[in-house]
Amino acid sequence: TKPVSQFLLDAIPNNLFSSLQQSKIVQILVMSCILGITMGYLPADKKHGTQRFFEITLQIFQNIISYITIWLPVAIFCLMASSTSIVG
């Protein structure tokens, strides 16, 4: 078992992107809270620009996922076609 102080030090990531890649939920949650609190203290004009950045990023990822969802049945059919052609 780790002491509480070591847990708190481990909760703060050294690199946010490596935490995202390794799915370290506690570190991602801590950084999200820090980012949210920091955005709360920004002036209104900078806050609007930051919120717009995150909205645009969300829209980009939603578009990517929707395109994947549209073409996924075709890709699965192509993968199944090669397997079924071997079986006959």
Side-chain angles (χ1 to χ4, degrees):
T1 61
K2 294 181 181 179
V4 176
S5 60
Q6 185 64 37
F7 175 77
L8 292 175
L9 289 175
D10 289 342
I12 300 171
N14 293 331
N15 186 346
L16 177 62
F17 296 106
S18 67
S19 297
L20 290 169
Q21 182 216 6
Q22 297 171 3
S23 299
K24 294 184 177 180
I25 302 299
V26 174
Q27 291 181 354
I28 295 170
L29 184 64
V30 167
M31 286 307 297
S32 298
C33 291
I34 291 172
L35 183 67
I37 291 169
T38 306
M39 280 183 60
Y41 285 106
L42 285 175
D45 58 337
K46 291 183 181 180
K47 188 184 302 185
H48 177 70
T50 307
Q51 287 175 345
R52 185 74 183 135
F53 167 76
F54 286 117
E55 288 171 0
I56 290 171
T57 305
L58 174 66
Q59 187 64 38
I60 288 169
F61 282 112
Q62 285 178 337
N63 286 343
I64 291 171
I65 291 171
S66 69
Y67 289 131
I68 289 172
T69 304
I70 290 170
W71 291 102
L72 187 62
V74 174
I76 291 174
F77 177 76
C78 292
L79 290 172
M80 289 176 52
S82 66
S83 298
T84 55
S85 67
I86 294 170
V87 174

